[in-house]
């Protein structure tokens, strides 16, 4: 016989996790499609076809991509706030968000420097710097949540933080650049307008941000899974 839980927290947190999973599967699935399939596919498509194919294809795909990111982040943030409240450390939410937003701002400055040239133009160097920023942010977050926090809140503090960087990359870098790329591609296909000289730069910058998200998704998924299934920080949660 089916039994529906009567307490609000069990119902709300489950529904939040359900919506979080739906949004996350859509978001990360499309992220992997862009990086594992579309990047190589675009190299093999004739330029005359791209002008007609890419605007509608990418417009629809990017709509689902960016709004799935929002759904994933919002439901995750609410769920995390409830957990912090359950563990009597709700004030830590501001600290966690502040640390990761600051980390993204540093990343954004370095990203702009990398596309402008210099030693950061080497993707390997930029990757090392990004890893260092993420490790430092994770260390600060765990240190702030450890007092009174569980394995779940510490692991989500890292996984959700990486997801925050990814969300900001989507809305602050990838989507603005892709809007310009789609508009330019459509104009060239419909009226023969010459492609802007900066089009290759826009594409390169969008690619770098997307590839960064793809790599960040790997540790992000690890820590989100570890929250309930791998006591990496020594204590397992006692809340639903």
């Amino acid at each position: 016989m089916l039994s529906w839980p009567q307490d609000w927290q069990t119902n709300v947190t489950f529904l939040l996790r359900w919506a979080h999973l739906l949004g996350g599967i859509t978001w990360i699935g499309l992220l992997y499609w862009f990086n594992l399939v579309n990047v190589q596919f675009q190299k093999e498509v004739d330029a005359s076809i791209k002008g007609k194919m890419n605007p509608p294809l990418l417009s629809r795909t990017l709509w689902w991509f960016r709004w799935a990111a929002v759904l994933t982040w919002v439901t995750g943030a609410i769920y995390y706030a409830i957990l912090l409240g359950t563990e009597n450390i709700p004030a830590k939410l501001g600290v966690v968000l502040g640390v990761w937003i600051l980390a993204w701002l540093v990343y954004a400055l370095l990203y702009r420097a990398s596309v402008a040239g210099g030693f950061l133009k080497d993707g390997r160097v930029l990757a090392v710097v990004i890893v260092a920023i993420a490790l430092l942010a994770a260390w600060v977050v765990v240190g702030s949540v450890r007092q009174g926090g569980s394995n779940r809140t510490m692991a989500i503090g890292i996984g959700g933080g990486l997801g925050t960087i990814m969300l900001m990359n989507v809305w602050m870098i990838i989507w603005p650049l892709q809007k310009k790329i789609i508009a330019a591609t459509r104009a060239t296909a419909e009226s023969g307008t010459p492609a802007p000289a900066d089009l290759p730069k826009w594409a390169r910058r969008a690619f770098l941000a997307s590839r960064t998200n793809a790599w960040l998704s790997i540790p992000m998924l690890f820590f989100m899974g570890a929250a309930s299934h791998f006591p990496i920080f020594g204590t397992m949660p006692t809340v639903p």
Side-chain angles (χ1 to χ4, degrees):
M1 183 177 180
L2 295 176
S3 176
W4 193 274
Q6 298 302 306
D7 63 295
W8 73 269
Q9 183 172 312
T10 298
N11 289 293
V12 170
T13 54
F14 174 75
L15 291 174
L16 284 170
R17 293 180 74 179
W18 184 28
H20 187 67
L21 285 171
L22 286 173
I25 289 170
T26 305
W27 178 21
I28 303 304
L30 289 173
L31 173 66
Y32 290 164
W33 178 82
F34 277 122
N35 282 272
L36 299 178
V37 178
N38 192 56
V39 169
Q40 186 60 39
F41 175 70
Q42 292 294 330
K43 296 177 182 178
E44 300 171 359
V45 176
D46 188 85
S48 62
I49 300 176
K50 285 184 181 181
K52 295 181 179 180
M53 176 188 72
N54 279 346
L57 172 65
L58 296 182
S59 294
R60 292 186 180 95
T61 307
L62 287 165
W63 189 93
W64 286 101
F65 179 69
R66 66 184 187 273
W67 288 110
V70 170
L71 175 63
T72 305
W73 192 90
V74 169
T75 53
I78 297 172
Y79 177 77
Y80 191 52
I82 292 173
L83 291 183
L84 291 173
T86 301
E87 297 181 10
N88 297 315
I89 49 174
K92 299 298 184 180
L93 179 62
V95 175
V96 173
L97 288 178
V99 168
W100 287 107
I101 291 174
L102 178 60
W104 181 83
L105 290 173
V106 174
Y107 159 78
L109 291 174
L110 294 173
Y111 167 80
R112 290 181 66 87
S114 72
V115 297
F119 74 98
L120 286 175
K121 188 176 181 180
D122 188 327
R124 294 166 297 183
V125 175
L126 182 61
V128 170
V129 175
I130 292 172
V131 169
I133 294 171
L135 288 174
L136 178 60
W139 179 76
V140 173
V141 165
V142 170
S144 68
V145 178
R146 183 177 293 277
Q147 187 64 36
S150 67
N151 181 78
R152 179 172 291 177
T153 47
M154 284 184 275
I156 294 177
I158 297 175
L162 294 173
T164 300
I165 291 179
M166 293 166 61
L167 174 81
M168 296 183 76
N169 278 346
V170 169
W171 280 92
M172 304 300 288
I173 299 176
I174 297 172
W175 174 232
L177 288 170
Q178 287 290 353
K179 278 197 297 185
K180 294 196 291 186
I181 293 170
I182 291 170
T185 303
R186 181 177 283 118
T188 299
E190 294 177 353
S191 61
T193 304
D198 288 336
L199 185 61
K201 294 181 181 179
W202 299 340
R204 176 64 179 170
R205 289 166 60 190
F207 167 77
L208 287 175
S210 182
R211 185 55 55 92
T212 297
N213 274 12
W215 283 111
L216 288 179
S217 72
I218 297 174
M220 182 271 290
L221 291 171
F222 171 84
F223 283 104
M224 298 308 279
S228 297
H229 304 289
F230 189 58
I232 190 172
F233 296 108
T235 57
M236 291 300 290
T238 57
V239 294

